[in-house]
Structures are given as structure tokens and as C-alpha cells.
Amino acid sequence: MSEKKIPEVDIVVDEQAGVIKEVKPQQKLRSKKGHERRVNGTIYTVLTVMSIVWLVPFVFLVLQSFRSYKLEKGGMVDYLLPKQFSLDNYAFLFEGSDFFAWLGRAVLVGLVCAAACCLLVHLAGKWLDGRDDGGKAARPAALGIALCAGYAVLVAMTAALHGFSLAGSLLKAVILLAVFVLVGFIIARVYLKQDSKLLRSIPGYVVEDRHEGLKKLCAMAAEFWVMALIAQYVLAPMTTSQYLRWYGNTLTIALFTSVIQTVIVLSVSYSLSRLRFKGRKLIMNTVLVLGLFPGFLTMITLYFLLKQMGLTQAGAVPGLILIYCASSGMGYYISKGFFDTIPKSLDESARIDGATRFQVFLKIIMPLAKPIVIYTILMAFMAPWGDYVFASYVAFGHQDGYNVAVGLYNWVNTNDYQNYFTRFCAGGVLVAVPITALFLALQKYYVEGVTGGAVKG
């Protein structure tokens, strides 16, 4: 005789009716953790697929750049992997230039110059600290002499290794000396200056750790090394290929734009965030309305204005820098939002201690605003790096004034575009290297800057 299974029931007491009911049990609720795992798994799968789709064109670009234009002619092929990997396309980009030989000598000279400048500045700082008055009066002269000595080492080694005639470059050398001493003086003052009382008053500010001196010394050496490389390029420029000239134009425009635009944007953002003055709301509303109109509407007017000043075609590089920086103050929104999150009590405390507005901005706000500063620099660098419309319009057929985007487009916009396709891919890979490196190195600060500035203020 088979046993009958007794159905499971739940007993419910209905106190209002005074009866006891038997009801079927409800279905078990799904596990919350299981539900979260399924949702997260779906999201990760979708994001992974999107990432793969996004990376496929770049992978194709990299692979095609290794397909030799001499051995495997033609841009449109029915296979992805090159039949024979080759660096012919990259060699073509540097063809006719002494880039690698010049770079080797420049790196060596730059390292020696940076070491000499750091040593001389460090010795000057020790001598100044040993004086009774702390060396306040003698500081400019001592640092100036140290930097001039470091610059003399740079010029002597550049003349010896690069083989340039100092007599023919005397004006360049004098101008570079003035810039070198000015910028170097600022770098040296930052390195030698003691921690400010205003900085120590910031909550969470670390006055100095065990490796702070070494970090400052390495940072100063790196900055002097970059200055030495730039000085050598002006004193003894390398023989450049067509692609390197375009690349140099793009890099020059992007670097100048990032510095100038960052200073303007941060100054405007701080003023609108911290100061209250007549017409402040009107300015913000006006900028908001003007920002609704695309900049392309002013292209014809800008071109004729730049042409009157000689900043088109041969002067396209300074002309483009002027265009990118002219209205940069209108992009203050994210930076202002970030400044609004910094407590105003810090400003008030510093003002009570006797700090000026500029000191508050430089010594209180800037150390706390590192993410938004890096975000602003990245955005300012990226805009001119990949710009095509304004660059092609201002250069207008003058090849020496092209940036990389315009130059590479002209390669594939010819009757021989099939033959130039792989060389175009190699040029595109080199263009992507600086942006990719910057994002990988500064990704943390970039995210903090975007999220920190995305507040209503």
C-alpha cells in the first residue's frame, strides 16, 4: 500500500473571524544575493562586449600598421593578420630625419644638464640657509647664478655633441637663457621653499614624510631635463620628416593650449565660485547661452581675422593656439562645481591670517584641487590633439602648418590612397600613444575631477 504524501500547508489564524485557516504556502522569494549576481553578471557581460566592439577598430589599425607597403600592396585586403610583420610603415614616417640620433644625444645632454642644475641649486639653497637672514636678499642672485652655470653646461655640451655654431644662434641662446632662468627660478623656489603655515592649516595635509626631499629632488630633475630637451630643440633642431613636422606642430599646439587654457579656466572658475560681485549671474547666464551655439559658426570670421594678423597657413600654429585659448574661460562649469565643494571656511581662515586672494587660491585651493587641475589639463590637451576642422581651415593647403590629423587625411585623400593606407595606420598608432599614456597614468584623477565637479553650485 503506497503512502500518500501529505501536502504542506501553512496555518493562519484569522482573529477577526475567529477561525483557523489552512492555506497553501507561497513560493519562496528569490535570494537577494543571487539576484545581485545575475544583474551584475549581465552588466559585466554587456560592458565586456561593448569594450571588445570599441577595441576592434584599434586592434585592426595596429595590425595593419605592421603590414609592409612594399611587400603587401593595397589598402583593402581580405585578411586581418599581416602575412609578414614589418616596420616599413614606421620607418617611412621617420624617413629623411635624424630623429633617433638626435634624441640619443639630447637625452644625454639633458640628463647632465639636469644633474648640474639640481646640484647647483641644492648647494645654493644650503648656502642661503646658513646665512643669518635666511638668504632672503641674496636668494634671487644666488639662484640666478646657479641656473646660468647650469645653462652654460647645457650650451657647451649641445655645441659639442650637436655641432651647432653658437655665433649663428646667439640670439636664440640669449632668449633661451632668459626663459631658462625665469622658469628655473620658479622651479627652484618651489623646491627650496619651506612648508607654508597656510598649507599646514589644511585638514589632512601631510607636512612632510620621510621621502619628501627625494620626491622633490626627482621632480625638479625631471623638470630641468624637459627644459633642457626643449632648449636643445631650439638651439640645434633635428632634421625632420614630413610626418614629424606635423607631429611637432600638433604637440606644440596641444602643450601651449593645455597650459594657457588651464590657467584661464581655473582662474575664471575660482572667481565665479568664491567671489560675489555685480553682474556675476549675468556673466554666467550669458556664457551659458553663448555656449549653446557651435564654434563652427565663427569659422569664416576667425579666418579673416587671423589672416589680417598673419596667423594662417605659415602661421597656422600660433593661430590655432589663439583660437583654442580665446574662449576657454567659457568652459568653467565643471571646475566651478569642484571649487564649490571645498569649504569656504578654509578661505576665511586664511584671510584672517593675512593671506591675499591670490595666496588663498595658490596655497589653499590648488593643493586640494589636484583632480580638477589634471582633468582640465587633459581636456585642454585632447581638444587640439585630434582636431581636424579648424586645423585644416587655418592651414589651408600649407603643408608645413598641418597638424597630424590634417596631414594623415591628405595621405589617404589622394589617387594613391590604397598605397598610403598602411602608412596612415602607422601614423594613427603613434598619434594614439600620448593620449593613451596620459589616460592610463592619470585615470584616477580624471574620474575624481569629473565626479567632484558634477555638482550643482
Side-chain angles (χ1 to χ4, degrees):
M1 183 175 178
S2 61
E3 296 182 358
K4 293 184 178 179
K5 292 184 178 179
I6 302 174
E8 295 181 1
V9 294
D10 290 337
I11 299 175
V12 178
V13 179
D14 191 345
E15 296 180 355
Q16 187 175 3
V19 296
I20 299 177
K21 298 180 180 179
E22 292 183 356
V23 296
K24 292 183 180 181
Q26 296 179 354
Q27 293 182 349
K28 293 183 179 180
L29 297 175
R30 291 183 297 177
S31 171
K32 185 178 180 180
K33 291 184 177 180
H35 176 68
E36 289 181 353
R37 283 196 297 268
R38 285 189 292 272
V39 172
N40 291 338
T42 304
I43 293 174
Y44 293 150
T45 303
V46 173
L47 291 177
T48 302
V49 172
M50 291 176 62
S51 300
I52 294 174
V53 172
W54 179 76
L55 286 173
V56 163
F58 184 73
V59 172
F60 172 77
L61 191 75
V62 173
L63 291 175
Q64 294 305 302
S65 68
F66 291 107
R67 183 162 59 86
S68 174
Y69 69 94
K70 297 178 180 178
L71 303 176
E72 303 177 49
K73 294 185 178 181
M76 305 300 176
V77 294
D78 56 357
Y79 53 90
L80 181 61
L81 292 176
K83 295 179 179 179
Q84 182 178 349
F85 282 83
S86 171
L87 295 176
D88 288 344
N89 296 308
Y90 292 96
F92 174 81
L93 300 180
F94 295 93
E95 196 173 276
S97 71
D98 59 346
F99 173 77
F100 295 104
W102 181 91
L103 183 63
R105 294 191 295 265
V107 169
L108 176 62
V109 174
L111 290 175
V112 174
C113 174
C117 287
C118 289
L119 177 62
L120 292 170
V121 167
H122 181 72
L123 293 176
K126 289 289 186 183
W127 177 75
L128 291 169
D129 292 338
R131 294 172 62 91
D132 296 335
D133 59 348
K136 291 183 179 179
R139 188 176 297 272
L143 294 181
I145 293 172
L147 292 169
C148 287
Y151 182 76
V153 173
L154 169 68
V155 173
M157 289 195 65
T158 303
L161 293 182
H162 290 285
F164 81 99
S165 174
L166 185 60
S169 307
L170 186 59
L171 180 60
K172 290 181 181 179
V174 172
I175 295 174
L176 276 177
L177 174 62
V179 176
F180 193 93
V181 172
L182 177 62
V183 179
F185 183 79
I186 297 173
I187 295 173
R189 284 296 299 270
V190 172
Y191 170 71
L192 297 174
K193 195 170 184 180
Q194 299 297 322
D195 289 315
S196 172
K197 293 181 180 179
L198 295 176
L199 286 177
R200 289 199 293 269
S201 66
I202 298 175
Y205 176 76
V206 179
V207 177
E208 187 169 353
D209 59 20
R210 186 171 57 181
H211 305 291
E212 187 68 21
L214 181 60
K215 290 178 182 179
K216 288 183 177 180
L217 184 63
C218 292
M220 183 174 68
E223 289 164 347
F224 278 127
W225 181 67
V226 173
M227 289 173 58
L229 290 180
I230 296 173
Q232 289 176 86
Y233 183 75
V234 176
L235 288 173
M238 70 182 83
T239 304
T240 57
S241 63
Q242 192 178 50
Y243 177 80
L244 285 179
R245 185 176 294 109
W246 298 338
Y247 204 96
N249 292 342
T250 310
L251 187 61
T252 302
I253 295 169
L255 289 176
F256 275 93
T257 302
S258 61
V259 173
I260 299 172
Q261 203 173 110
T262 300
V263 173
I264 295 175
V265 170
L266 294 180
S267 301
V268 173
S269 303
Y270 175 77
S271 301
L272 295 176
S273 174
R274 286 300 199 262
L275 305 181
R276 296 296 181 268
F277 51 89
K278 190 176 181 179
R280 174 176 170 273
K281 288 289 186 182
L282 178 62
I283 292 175
M284 294 173 64
N285 293 334
T286 304
V287 170
L288 181 63
V289 173
L290 291 177
L292 299 175
F293 297 93
F296 304 116
L297 297 177
T298 62
M299 284 179 58
I300 297 177
T301 304
L302 285 175
Y303 177 79
F304 281 104
L305 287 175
L306 293 175
K307 189 176 182 179
Q308 294 297 323
M309 295 184 287
L311 298 179
T312 59
Q313 296 183 333
V317 173
L320 287 171
I321 295 173
L322 181 60
I323 287 177
Y324 296 135
C325 297
S327 60
S328 57
M330 295 174 64
Y332 68 88
Y333 304 105
I334 295 179
S335 301
K336 178 186 175 297
F338 189 94
F339 288 142
D340 288 340
T341 63
I342 300 176
K344 293 184 180 179
S345 57
L346 296 176
D347 302 44
E348 296 168 357
S349 300
R351 294 283 289 170
I352 292 173
D353 290 339
T356 61
R357 287 286 185 186
F358 182 72
Q359 288 176 324
V360 173
F361 173 70
L362 189 63
K363 298 181 179 181
I364 300 294
I365 303 300
M366 284 298 100
L368 296 174
K370 186 177 181 179
I372 199 62
V373 173
I374 293 177
Y375 168 80
T376 307
I377 293 173
L378 275 175
M379 292 297 99
F381 186 88
M382 286 177 58
W385 188 259
D387 179 51
Y388 170 80
V389 178
F390 273 110
S392 61
Y393 202 71
V394 175
F396 198 65
H398 189 80
Q399 290 195 1
D400 290 344
Y402 286 170
N403 68 354
V404 176
V406 179
L408 291 180
Y409 174 76
N410 283 343
W411 274 0
V412 295
N413 192 31
T414 62
N415 294 330
D416 195 22
Y417 72 94
Q418 290 277 7
N419 195 26
Y420 271 95
F421 179 76
T422 53
R423 284 172 272 187
F424 169 85
C425 294
V429 171
L430 294 184
V431 170
V433 169
I435 294 294
T436 305
L438 281 174
F439 266 99
L440 291 176
L442 306 175
Q443 183 180 11
K444 173 185 174 183
Y445 301 105
Y446 176 80
V447 175
E448 289 181 4
V450 174
T451 56
V455 296
K456 183 178 180 182

